């Protein structure tokens, strides 16, 4: 359903999401359902991973961490907080304008130049190709085990494999 939503809309709003959801389901859900859904999504995360927390903590000592994602801030931050890593992210982007819109990658860079920023993601089109077109360095977290021939980016299997040495090598 998210893929069909994102093919029709360029941002996430509660009204549009509910309209799309109701159309896909063939019946109407109330807006309060979204709050309950977001509350439940915070539990849809991997079990506590101290190695991930340590990696994110270490990176945050050297870099500004910004979340750029395609979904609602409330939902995504709830999930990051449940995982124990929400506090490391200084800003959130992706609800008002979604990837692969060029403007959102550049907005997420803040005061930094694109070539000073690194996009880390698991989607080749939205995270890697979209960010690369804007001049960002990229790291593909290949959890989906997709073919990666011809990609000009660092490729890892898990987020916790990222360290300062990898970022400096880009």
């Amino acid at each position: 359903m998210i893929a069909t939503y994102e093919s029709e809309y360029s941002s996430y709003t509660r009204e549009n999401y509910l309209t799309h959801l109701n159309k896909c389901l063939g019946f109407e859900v109330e807006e309060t359902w979204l709050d309950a859904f977001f509350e439940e999504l915070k539990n849809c995360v991997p079990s506590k991973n101290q190695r991930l927390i340590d990696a994110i903590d270490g990176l945050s000592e050297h870099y500004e961490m910004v979340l750029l994602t395609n979904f609602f801030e409330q939902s995504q931050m709830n999930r990051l907080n449940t995982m124990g890593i929400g506090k490391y992210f200084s800003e959130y982007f992706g609800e008002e304008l979604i990837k692969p819109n060029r403007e959102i990658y550049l907005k997420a860079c803040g005061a930094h130049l694109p070539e000073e920023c690194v996009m880390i993601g698991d989607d080749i089109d939205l995270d890697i190709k979209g960010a690369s077109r804007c001049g960002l360095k990229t790291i593909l977290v290949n959890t989906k085990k997709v073919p990666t021939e011809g990609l000009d980016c660092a490729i890892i299997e898990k987020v916790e494999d990222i360290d300062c040495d990898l970022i400096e090598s880009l």
Side-chain angles (χ1 to χ4, degrees):
M1 189 188 87
I2 289 175
T4 58
Y5 178 90
E6 291 178 1
S7 70
E8 292 182 36
Y9 300 96
S10 61
S11 66
Y12 274 91
T13 68
R14 293 172 74 91
E15 181 181 332
N16 289 345
Y17 195 73
L18 282 171
T19 298
H20 187 75
L21 179 67
N22 291 339
K23 185 171 85 175
C24 289
L25 294 174
F27 61 89
E28 216 166 297
V29 295
E30 295 182 26
E31 186 172 354
T32 55
W33 177 87
L34 274 181
D35 294 320
F37 178 56
F38 293 158
E39 186 65 25
E40 287 304 312
L41 277 180
K42 77 178 182 185
N43 300 313
C44 297
V45 297
S47 56
K48 185 175 179 179
N49 180 337
Q50 192 60 48
R51 188 167 168 246
L52 172 67
I53 294 168
D54 292 344
I56 298 293
D57 180 54
L59 291 170
S60 73
E61 291 176 9
H62 301 278
Y63 306 102
E64 179 182 8
M65 309 284 282
V66 173
L67 181 65
L68 174 57
T69 182
N70 283 2
F71 206 54
F72 292 95
E73 178 179 7
Q74 177 187 357
S75 171
Q76 301 299 63
M77 288 308 299
N78 282 349
R79 296 178 74 221
L80 292 179
N81 288 333
T82 298
M83 294 170 65
I85 59 174
K87 64 185 177 185
Y88 298 108
F89 293 86
S90 63
E91 290 190 77
Y92 166 91
F93 297 94
E95 189 172 320
E96 69 181 53
L97 191 60
I98 61 175
K99 302 175 282 185
N101 187 301
R102 177 179 174 77
E103 185 180 325
I104 198 62
Y105 300 101
L106 299 175
K107 190 170 183 177
C109 291
H112 303 281
L113 297 172
E115 57 269 18
E116 297 173 321
C117 300
V118 178
M119 176 70 173
I120 301 165
D122 65 354
D123 187 283
I124 290 175
D125 291 322
L126 298 179
D127 299 324
I128 305 307
K129 291 180 179 178
S132 292
R133 282 191 292 270
C134 295
L136 283 76
K137 300 169 196 156
T138 55
I139 300 173
L140 173 65
V141 183
N142 197 7
T143 56
K144 301 171 188 171
K145 309 282 191 239
V146 297
T148 59
E149 301 84 37
L151 284 181
D152 184 23
C153 66
I155 301 169
I156 58 172
E157 292 186 19
K158 298 177 180 180
V159 172
E160 52 267 35
D161 294 336
I162 302 170
D163 59 23
C164 293
D165 290 337
L166 174 62
I167 291 176
E168 293 303 317
S169 74
L170 299 174

mmCIF file of all heavy atoms in Angstrom, residues 7-50:
data_model
loop_
_atom_site.group_PDB
_atom_site.id
_atom_site.type_symbol
_atom_site.label_atom_id
_atom_site.label_comp_id
_atom_site.label_asym_id
_atom_site.label_seq_id
_atom_site.Cartn_x
_atom_site.Cartn_y
_atom_site.Cartn_z
ATOM 1 N N SER A 7 3.178 6.582 -5.179
ATOM 2 C CA SER A 7 3.057 6.850 -6.615
ATOM 3 C C SER A 7 1.992 7.912 -6.884
ATOM 4 O O SER A 7 1.996 8.534 -7.943
ATOM 5 C CB SER A 7 2.728 5.565 -7.378
ATOM 6 O OG SER A 7 1.414 5.136 -7.097
ATOM 7 N N GLU A 8 1.113 8.147 -5.937
ATOM 8 C CA GLU A 8 0.042 9.141 -6.102
ATOM 9 C C GLU A 8 0.305 10.456 -5.380
ATOM 10 O O GLU A 8 -0.201 11.496 -5.787
ATOM 11 C CB GLU A 8 -1.289 8.570 -5.579
ATOM 12 C CG GLU A 8 -1.833 7.428 -6.405
ATOM 13 C CD GLU A 8 -3.168 6.934 -5.867
ATOM 14 O OE1 GLU A 8 -3.975 7.764 -5.393
ATOM 15 O OE2 GLU A 8 -3.398 5.711 -5.925
ATOM 16 N N TYR A 9 1.070 10.409 -4.285
ATOM 17 C CA TYR A 9 1.270 11.586 -3.440
ATOM 18 C C TYR A 9 2.763 11.878 -3.271
ATOM 19 O O TYR A 9 3.576 10.967 -3.264
ATOM 20 C CB TYR A 9 0.648 11.377 -2.058
ATOM 21 C CG TYR A 9 -0.838 11.112 -2.089
ATOM 22 C CD1 TYR A 9 -1.338 9.814 -2.066
ATOM 23 C CD2 TYR A 9 -1.747 12.169 -2.148
ATOM 24 C CE1 TYR A 9 -2.708 9.567 -2.102
ATOM 25 C CE2 TYR A 9 -3.118 11.929 -2.174
ATOM 26 C CZ TYR A 9 -3.588 10.628 -2.149
ATOM 27 O OH TYR A 9 -4.936 10.399 -2.180
ATOM 28 N N SER A 10 3.090 13.162 -3.088
ATOM 29 C CA SER A 10 4.494 13.553 -2.912
ATOM 30 C C SER A 10 4.820 13.898 -1.466
ATOM 31 O O SER A 10 5.937 14.296 -1.155
ATOM 32 C CB SER A 10 4.823 14.744 -3.803
ATOM 33 O OG SER A 10 4.014 15.857 -3.451
ATOM 34 N N SER A 11 3.856 13.741 -0.572
ATOM 35 C CA SER A 11 4.080 13.980 0.851
ATOM 36 C C SER A 11 3.133 13.081 1.639
ATOM 37 O O SER A 11 2.198 12.497 1.090
ATOM 38 C CB SER A 11 3.820 15.449 1.208
ATOM 39 O OG SER A 11 2.455 15.765 1.025
ATOM 40 N N TYR A 12 3.401 12.981 2.935
ATOM 41 C CA TYR A 12 2.519 12.221 3.803
ATOM 42 C C TYR A 12 1.678 13.176 4.629
ATOM 43 O O TYR A 12 2.202 13.979 5.392
ATOM 44 C CB TYR A 12 3.321 11.306 4.738
ATOM 45 C CG TYR A 12 3.643 9.978 4.111
ATOM 46 C CD1 TYR A 12 4.813 9.789 3.393
ATOM 47 C CD2 TYR A 12 2.764 8.915 4.208
ATOM 48 C CE1 TYR A 12 5.096 8.566 2.796
ATOM 49 C CE2 TYR A 12 3.034 7.696 3.612
ATOM 50 C CZ TYR A 12 4.203 7.531 2.914
ATOM 51 O OH TYR A 12 4.473 6.322 2.324
ATOM 52 N N THR A 13 0.369 13.107 4.434
ATOM 53 C CA THR A 13 -0.563 13.826 5.295
ATOM 54 C C THR A 13 -1.563 12.812 5.818
ATOM 55 O O THR A 13 -1.849 11.810 5.148
ATOM 56 C CB THR A 13 -1.326 14.948 4.546
ATOM 57 O OG1 THR A 13 -2.212 14.355 3.585
ATOM 58 C CG2 THR A 13 -0.361 15.917 3.859
ATOM 59 N N ARG A 14 -2.068 13.075 6.976
ATOM 60 C CA ARG A 14 -3.042 12.156 7.572
ATOM 61 C C ARG A 14 -4.264 12.014 6.664
ATOM 62 O O ARG A 14 -4.754 10.910 6.442
ATOM 63 C CB ARG A 14 -3.436 12.644 8.963
ATOM 64 C CG ARG A 14 -2.292 12.588 9.956
ATOM 65 C CD ARG A 14 -2.645 13.250 11.271
ATOM 66 N NE ARG A 14 -3.555 12.452 12.066
ATOM 67 C CZ ARG A 14 -3.195 11.559 12.982
ATOM 68 N NH1 ARG A 14 -1.923 11.332 13.207
ATOM 69 N NH2 ARG A 14 -4.094 10.887 13.652
ATOM 70 N N GLU A 15 -4.730 13.139 6.144
ATOM 71 C CA GLU A 15 -5.927 13.121 5.295
ATOM 72 C C GLU A 15 -5.701 12.268 4.038
ATOM 73 O O GLU A 15 -6.517 11.410 3.708
ATOM 74 C CB GLU A 15 -6.308 14.551 4.903
ATOM 75 C CG GLU A 15 -7.549 14.630 4.048
ATOM 76 C CD GLU A 15 -7.873 16.070 3.652
ATOM 77 O OE1 GLU A 15 -7.515 16.998 4.412
ATOM 78 O OE2 GLU A 15 -8.474 16.244 2.582
ATOM 79 N N ASN A 16 -4.591 12.518 3.340
ATOM 80 C CA ASN A 16 -4.307 11.745 2.127
ATOM 81 C C ASN A 16 -4.089 10.270 2.436
ATOM 82 O O ASN A 16 -4.525 9.395 1.685
ATOM 83 C CB ASN A 16 -3.087 12.299 1.398
ATOM 84 C CG ASN A 16 -3.347 13.624 0.743
ATOM 85 O OD1 ASN A 16 -4.490 14.041 0.572
ATOM 86 N ND2 ASN A 16 -2.284 14.312 0.382
ATOM 87 N N TYR A 17 -3.397 10.000 3.530
ATOM 88 C CA TYR A 17 -3.115 8.608 3.880
ATOM 89 C C TYR A 17 -4.406 7.855 4.191
ATOM 90 O O TYR A 17 -4.600 6.726 3.742
ATOM 91 C CB TYR A 17 -2.141 8.533 5.052
ATOM 92 C CG TYR A 17 -1.535 7.175 5.239
ATOM 93 C CD1 TYR A 17 -0.571 6.697 4.349
ATOM 94 C CD2 TYR A 17 -1.908 6.356 6.294
ATOM 95 C CE1 TYR A 17 -0.004 5.449 4.505
ATOM 96 C CE2 TYR A 17 -1.343 5.105 6.459
ATOM 97 C CZ TYR A 17 -0.395 4.662 5.557
ATOM 98 O OH TYR A 17 0.172 3.412 5.719
ATOM 99 N N LEU A 18 -5.291 8.501 4.937
ATOM 100 C CA LEU A 18 -6.578 7.866 5.251
ATOM 101 C C LEU A 18 -7.428 7.672 3.998
ATOM 102 O O LEU A 18 -8.050 6.623 3.828
ATOM 103 C CB LEU A 18 -7.347 8.676 6.290
ATOM 104 C CG LEU A 18 -6.872 8.507 7.725
ATOM 105 C CD1 LEU A 18 -7.563 9.517 8.634
ATOM 106 C CD2 LEU A 18 -7.113 7.092 8.215
ATOM 107 N N THR A 19 -7.426 8.655 3.122
ATOM 108 C CA THR A 19 -8.172 8.527 1.865
ATOM 109 C C THR A 19 -7.646 7.338 1.069
ATOM 110 O O THR A 19 -8.421 6.514 0.577
ATOM 111 C CB THR A 19 -8.053 9.825 1.028
ATOM 112 O OG1 THR A 19 -8.640 10.889 1.768
ATOM 113 C CG2 THR A 19 -8.744 9.683 -0.318
ATOM 114 N N HIS A 20 -6.345 7.246 0.962
ATOM 115 C CA HIS A 20 -5.725 6.154 0.208
ATOM 116 C C HIS A 20 -5.991 4.804 0.887
ATOM 117 O O HIS A 20 -6.331 3.821 0.223
ATOM 118 C CB HIS A 20 -4.223 6.398 0.071
ATOM 119 C CG HIS A 20 -3.547 5.423 -0.820
ATOM 120 N ND1 HIS A 20 -3.664 5.457 -2.183
ATOM 121 C CD2 HIS A 20 -2.758 4.361 -0.543
ATOM 122 C CE1 HIS A 20 -2.970 4.474 -2.720
ATOM 123 N NE2 HIS A 20 -2.411 3.790 -1.735
ATOM 124 N N LEU A 21 -5.837 4.762 2.185
ATOM 125 C CA LEU A 21 -6.080 3.538 2.950
ATOM 126 C C LEU A 21 -7.516 3.065 2.774
ATOM 127 O O LEU A 21 -7.767 1.886 2.495
ATOM 128 C CB LEU A 21 -5.772 3.776 4.427
ATOM 129 C CG LEU A 21 -5.990 2.616 5.376
ATOM 130 C CD1 LEU A 21 -5.004 1.491 5.085
ATOM 131 C CD2 LEU A 21 -5.836 3.093 6.814
ATOM 132 N N ASN A 22 -8.456 3.986 2.906
ATOM 133 C CA ASN A 22 -9.871 3.635 2.761
ATOM 134 C C ASN A 22 -10.167 3.107 1.360
ATOM 135 O O ASN A 22 -10.925 2.144 1.193
ATOM 136 C CB ASN A 22 -10.750 4.848 3.077
ATOM 137 C CG ASN A 22 -10.699 5.219 4.551
ATOM 138 O OD1 ASN A 22 -10.353 4.406 5.405
ATOM 139 N ND2 ASN A 22 -11.014 6.460 4.841
ATOM 140 N N LYS A 23 -9.551 3.726 0.357
ATOM 141 C CA LYS A 23 -9.738 3.276 -1.022
ATOM 142 C C LYS A 23 -9.172 1.861 -1.201
ATOM 143 O O LYS A 23 -9.812 0.997 -1.796
ATOM 144 C CB LYS A 23 -9.054 4.252 -1.985
ATOM 145 C CG LYS A 23 -9.294 3.945 -3.454
ATOM 146 C CD LYS A 23 -8.786 5.066 -4.354
ATOM 147 C CE LYS A 23 -7.316 4.856 -4.617
ATOM 148 N NZ LYS A 23 -6.744 5.806 -5.570
ATOM 149 N N CYS A 24 -7.994 1.612 -0.649
ATOM 150 C CA CYS A 24 -7.376 0.277 -0.770
ATOM 151 C C CYS A 24 -8.162 -0.791 -0.011
ATOM 152 O O CYS A 24 -8.295 -1.919 -0.486
ATOM 153 C CB CYS A 24 -5.935 0.310 -0.251
ATOM 154 S SG CYS A 24 -4.796 1.203 -1.307
ATOM 155 N N LEU A 25 -8.658 -0.437 1.154
ATOM 156 C CA LEU A 25 -9.380 -1.403 1.982
ATOM 157 C C LEU A 25 -10.817 -1.623 1.509
ATOM 158 O O LEU A 25 -11.394 -2.678 1.768
ATOM 159 C CB LEU A 25 -9.401 -0.943 3.444
ATOM 160 C CG LEU A 25 -8.064 -0.904 4.169
ATOM 161 C CD1 LEU A 25 -8.231 -0.299 5.559
ATOM 162 C CD2 LEU A 25 -7.459 -2.305 4.262
ATOM 163 N N GLY A 26 -11.387 -0.614 0.892
ATOM 164 C CA GLY A 26 -12.774 -0.717 0.462
ATOM 165 C C GLY A 26 -13.762 -0.402 1.574
ATOM 166 O O GLY A 26 -14.958 -0.636 1.438
ATOM 167 N N PHE A 27 -13.266 0.119 2.678
ATOM 168 C CA PHE A 27 -14.134 0.604 3.746
ATOM 169 C C PHE A 27 -13.411 1.717 4.481
ATOM 170 O O PHE A 27 -12.223 1.938 4.275
ATOM 171 C CB PHE A 27 -14.561 -0.519 4.714
ATOM 172 C CG PHE A 27 -13.422 -1.193 5.423
ATOM 173 C CD1 PHE A 27 -12.947 -0.719 6.634
ATOM 174 C CD2 PHE A 27 -12.828 -2.332 4.880
ATOM 175 C CE1 PHE A 27 -11.899 -1.349 7.298
ATOM 176 C CE2 PHE A 27 -11.787 -2.974 5.523
ATOM 177 C CZ PHE A 27 -11.326 -2.477 6.734
ATOM 178 N N GLU A 28 -14.129 2.436 5.335
ATOM 179 C CA GLU A 28 -13.574 3.611 5.968
ATOM 180 C C GLU A 28 -13.086 3.335 7.384
ATOM 181 O O GLU A 28 -13.791 2.721 8.187
ATOM 182 C CB GLU A 28 -14.634 4.722 5.998
ATOM 183 C CG GLU A 28 -14.038 6.074 5.808
ATOM 184 C CD GLU A 28 -15.081 7.118 5.490
ATOM 185 O OE1 GLU A 28 -15.737 7.014 4.436
ATOM 186 O OE2 GLU A 28 -15.214 8.038 6.314
ATOM 187 N N VAL A 29 -11.852 3.779 7.658
ATOM 188 C CA VAL A 29 -11.342 3.739 9.026
ATOM 189 C C VAL A 29 -11.296 5.172 9.546
ATOM 190 O O VAL A 29 -11.134 6.114 8.776
ATOM 191 C CB VAL A 29 -9.937 3.087 9.108
ATOM 192 C CG1 VAL A 29 -9.992 1.638 8.713
ATOM 193 C CG2 VAL A 29 -8.921 3.831 8.280
ATOM 194 N N GLU A 30 -11.447 5.309 10.841
ATOM 195 C CA GLU A 30 -11.444 6.641 11.449
ATOM 196 C C GLU A 30 -10.017 7.125 11.652
ATOM 197 O O GLU A 30 -9.084 6.336 11.742
ATOM 198 C CB GLU A 30 -12.181 6.598 12.793
ATOM 199 C CG GLU A 30 -13.645 6.276 12.649
ATOM 200 C CD GLU A 30 -14.364 6.294 13.981
ATOM 201 O OE1 GLU A 30 -13.901 6.992 14.902
ATOM 202 O OE2 GLU A 30 -15.391 5.616 14.088
ATOM 203 N N GLU A 31 -9.875 8.437 11.757
ATOM 204 C CA GLU A 31 -8.547 9.029 11.923
ATOM 205 C C GLU A 31 -7.862 8.547 13.198
ATOM 206 O O GLU A 31 -6.636 8.408 13.232
ATOM 207 C CB GLU A 31 -8.629 10.561 11.923
ATOM 208 C CG GLU A 31 -7.256 11.191 11.952
ATOM 209 C CD GLU A 31 -7.275 12.695 11.751
ATOM 210 O OE1 GLU A 31 -8.340 13.266 11.478
ATOM 211 O OE2 GLU A 31 -6.197 13.289 11.865
ATOM 212 N N THR A 32 -8.627 8.251 14.223
ATOM 213 C CA THR A 32 -8.020 7.773 15.465
ATOM 214 C C THR A 32 -7.279 6.447 15.250
ATOM 215 O O THR A 32 -6.378 6.105 16.013
ATOM 216 C CB THR A 32 -9.078 7.585 16.562
ATOM 217 O OG1 THR A 32 -10.107 6.720 16.072
ATOM 218 C CG2 THR A 32 -9.669 8.923 16.979
ATOM 219 N N TRP A 33 -7.655 5.730 14.188
ATOM 220 C CA TRP A 33 -6.957 4.479 13.874
ATOM 221 C C TRP A 33 -5.480 4.739 13.611
ATOM 222 O O TRP A 33 -4.629 3.936 13.994
ATOM 223 C CB TRP A 33 -7.606 3.813 12.653
ATOM 224 C CG TRP A 33 -6.892 2.562 12.251
ATOM 225 C CD1 TRP A 33 -7.111 1.312 12.723
ATOM 226 C CD2 TRP A 33 -5.821 2.446 11.308
ATOM 227 N NE1 TRP A 33 -6.235 0.422 12.136
ATOM 228 C CE2 TRP A 33 -5.435 1.096 11.254
ATOM 229 C CE3 TRP A 33 -5.150 3.351 10.490
ATOM 230 C CZ2 TRP A 33 -4.416 0.638 10.428
ATOM 231 C CZ3 TRP A 33 -4.134 2.895 9.663
ATOM 232 C CH2 TRP A 33 -3.781 1.548 9.648
ATOM 233 N N LEU A 34 -5.149 5.880 12.966
ATOM 234 C CA LEU A 34 -3.755 6.198 12.671
ATOM 235 C C LEU A 34 -2.917 6.295 13.940
ATOM 236 O O LEU A 34 -1.797 5.782 13.987
ATOM 237 C CB LEU A 34 -3.636 7.514 11.897
ATOM 238 C CG LEU A 34 -3.767 7.452 10.401
ATOM 239 C CD1 LEU A 34 -3.604 8.831 9.795
ATOM 240 C CD2 LEU A 34 -2.804 6.480 9.779
ATOM 241 N N ASP A 35 -3.442 6.936 14.964
ATOM 242 C CA ASP A 35 -2.689 7.050 16.219
ATOM 243 C C ASP A 35 -2.441 5.673 16.824
ATOM 244 O O ASP A 35 -1.336 5.382 17.295
ATOM 245 C CB ASP A 35 -3.435 7.949 17.211
ATOM 246 C CG ASP A 35 -3.506 9.378 16.728
ATOM 247 O OD1 ASP A 35 -2.500 9.872 16.165
ATOM 248 O OD2 ASP A 35 -4.568 10.009 16.896
ATOM 249 N N ALA A 36 -3.453 4.828 16.804
ATOM 250 C CA ALA A 36 -3.289 3.468 17.324
ATOM 251 C C ALA A 36 -2.289 2.686 16.468
ATOM 252 O O ALA A 36 -1.447 1.945 16.993
ATOM 253 C CB ALA A 36 -4.636 2.749 17.364
ATOM 254 N N PHE A 37 -2.352 2.862 15.149
ATOM 255 C CA PHE A 37 -1.427 2.201 14.233
ATOM 256 C C PHE A 37 0.006 2.638 14.509
ATOM 257 O O PHE A 37 0.919 1.809 14.628
ATOM 258 C CB PHE A 37 -1.845 2.539 12.800
ATOM 259 C CG PHE A 37 -0.952 1.976 11.732
ATOM 260 C CD1 PHE A 37 -0.691 0.616 11.643
ATOM 261 C CD2 PHE A 37 -0.385 2.813 10.785
ATOM 262 C CE1 PHE A 37 0.120 0.100 10.634
ATOM 263 C CE2 PHE A 37 0.419 2.319 9.775
ATOM 264 C CZ PHE A 37 0.678 0.960 9.701
ATOM 265 N N PHE A 38 0.238 3.941 14.643
ATOM 266 C CA PHE A 38 1.583 4.448 14.920
ATOM 267 C C PHE A 38 2.084 3.949 16.271
ATOM 268 O O PHE A 38 3.263 3.630 16.430
ATOM 269 C CB PHE A 38 1.608 5.975 14.905
ATOM 270 C CG PHE A 38 1.351 6.582 13.556
ATOM 271 C CD1 PHE A 38 0.910 7.880 13.453
ATOM 272 C CD2 PHE A 38 1.535 5.860 12.382
ATOM 273 C CE1 PHE A 38 0.665 8.463 12.213
ATOM 274 C CE2 PHE A 38 1.300 6.431 11.134
ATOM 275 C CZ PHE A 38 0.867 7.733 11.063
ATOM 276 N N GLU A 39 1.189 3.870 17.223
ATOM 277 C CA GLU A 39 1.574 3.373 18.552
ATOM 278 C C GLU A 39 2.006 1.913 18.470
ATOM 279 O O GLU A 39 2.986 1.505 19.082
ATOM 280 C CB GLU A 39 0.399 3.552 19.520
ATOM 281 C CG GLU A 39 0.709 3.213 20.953
ATOM 282 C CD GLU A 39 1.750 4.130 21.587
ATOM 283 O OE1 GLU A 39 1.926 5.285 21.165
ATOM 284 O OE2 GLU A 39 2.421 3.668 22.536
ATOM 285 N N GLU A 40 1.298 1.128 17.701
ATOM 286 C CA GLU A 40 1.655 -0.290 17.542
ATOM 287 C C GLU A 40 2.919 -0.486 16.714
ATOM 288 O O GLU A 40 3.694 -1.398 16.971
ATOM 289 C CB GLU A 40 0.493 -1.075 16.930
ATOM 290 C CG GLU A 40 -0.654 -1.313 17.886
ATOM 291 C CD GLU A 40 -0.232 -2.019 19.164
ATOM 292 O OE1 GLU A 40 0.491 -3.038 19.080
ATOM 293 O OE2 GLU A 40 -0.606 -1.558 20.246
ATOM 294 N N LEU A 41 3.128 0.367 15.716
ATOM 295 C CA LEU A 41 4.321 0.241 14.871
ATOM 296 C C LEU A 41 5.617 0.380 15.665
ATOM 297 O O LEU A 41 6.642 -0.161 15.275
ATOM 298 C CB LEU A 41 4.309 1.274 13.747
ATOM 299 C CG LEU A 41 3.506 0.928 12.511
ATOM 300 C CD1 LEU A 41 3.584 2.058 11.491
ATOM 301 C CD2 LEU A 41 3.972 -0.370 11.886
ATOM 302 N N LYS A 42 5.556 1.102 16.788
ATOM 303 C CA LYS A 42 6.778 1.268 17.579
ATOM 304 C C LYS A 42 7.279 -0.069 18.108
ATOM 305 O O LYS A 42 8.446 -0.212 18.448
ATOM 306 C CB LYS A 42 6.582 2.274 18.711
ATOM 307 C CG LYS A 42 5.823 1.764 19.909
ATOM 308 C CD LYS A 42 5.739 2.834 20.968
ATOM 309 C CE LYS A 42 5.028 2.310 22.189
ATOM 310 N NZ LYS A 42 4.840 3.354 23.178
ATOM 311 N N ASN A 43 6.402 -1.060 18.133
ATOM 312 C CA ASN A 43 6.798 -2.389 18.587
ATOM 313 C C ASN A 43 7.288 -3.278 17.444
ATOM 314 O O ASN A 43 7.755 -4.386 17.683
ATOM 315 C CB ASN A 43 5.628 -3.063 19.305
ATOM 316 C CG ASN A 43 5.194 -2.265 20.513
ATOM 317 O OD1 ASN A 43 6.012 -1.838 21.314
ATOM 318 N ND2 ASN A 43 3.904 -2.022 20.630
ATOM 319 N N CYS A 44 7.182 -2.784 16.231
ATOM 320 C CA CYS A 44 7.613 -3.544 15.050
ATOM 321 C C CYS A 44 9.056 -3.197 14.720
ATOM 322 O O CYS A 44 9.361 -2.590 13.689
ATOM 323 C CB CYS A 44 6.701 -3.246 13.864
ATOM 324 S SG CYS A 44 5.001 -3.745 14.138
ATOM 325 N N VAL A 45 9.930 -3.535 15.626
ATOM 326 C CA VAL A 45 11.359 -3.276 15.469
ATOM 327 C C VAL A 45 12.115 -4.523 15.911
ATOM 328 O O VAL A 45 11.577 -5.359 16.649
ATOM 329 C CB VAL A 45 11.814 -2.058 16.305
ATOM 330 C CG1 VAL A 45 11.136 -0.787 15.837
ATOM 331 C CG2 VAL A 45 11.581 -2.274 17.782
ATOM 332 N N PRO A 46 13.350 -4.631 15.475
ATOM 333 C CA PRO A 46 14.152 -5.773 15.940
ATOM 334 C C PRO A 46 14.338 -5.716 17.454
ATOM 335 O O PRO A 46 14.207 -4.658 18.071
ATOM 336 C CB PRO A 46 15.496 -5.586 15.228
ATOM 337 C CG PRO A 46 15.282 -4.539 14.195
ATOM 338 C CD PRO A 46 14.065 -3.767 14.578
ATOM 339 N N SER A 47 14.669 -6.832 18.043
ATOM 340 C CA SER A 47 14.942 -6.845 19.480
ATOM 341 C C SER A 47 16.170 -5.991 19.762
ATOM 342 O O SER A 47 16.946 -5.669 18.852
ATOM 343 C CB SER A 47 15.148 -8.275 19.971
ATOM 344 O OG SER A 47 16.175 -8.898 19.234
ATOM 345 N N LYS A 48 16.338 -5.605 21.002
ATOM 346 C CA LYS A 48 17.430 -4.704 21.381
ATOM 347 C C LYS A 48 18.747 -5.223 20.823
ATOM 348 O O LYS A 48 19.107 -6.382 20.991
ATOM 349 C CB LYS A 48 17.505 -4.552 22.895
ATOM 350 C CG LYS A 48 18.548 -3.545 23.309
ATOM 351 C CD LYS A 48 18.551 -3.295 24.792
ATOM 352 C CE LYS A 48 19.647 -2.286 25.119
ATOM 353 N NZ LYS A 48 19.694 -1.987 26.531
ATOM 354 N N ASN A 49 19.467 -4.315 20.188
ATOM 355 C CA ASN A 49 20.722 -4.648 19.553
ATOM 356 C C ASN A 49 21.784 -3.678 20.079
ATOM 357 O O ASN A 49 21.901 -2.559 19.571
ATOM 358 C CB ASN A 49 20.565 -4.539 18.027
ATOM 359 C CG ASN A 49 21.817 -4.875 17.270
ATOM 360 O OD1 ASN A 49 22.920 -4.802 17.785
ATOM 361 N ND2 ASN A 49 21.647 -5.215 16.009
ATOM 362 N N GLN A 50 22.516 -4.104 21.082
ATOM 363 C CA GLN A 50 23.495 -3.219 21.701
ATOM 364 C C GLN A 50 24.592 -2.824 20.727
ATOM 365 O O GLN A 50 25.097 -1.709 20.772
ATOM 366 C CB GLN A 50 24.103 -3.859 22.956
ATOM 367 C CG GLN A 50 24.906 -2.890 23.799
ATOM 368 C CD GLN A 50 24.076 -1.708 24.292
ATOM 369 O OE1 GLN A 50 22.964 -1.882 24.819
ATOM 370 N NE2 GLN A 50 24.588 -0.489 24.123
#
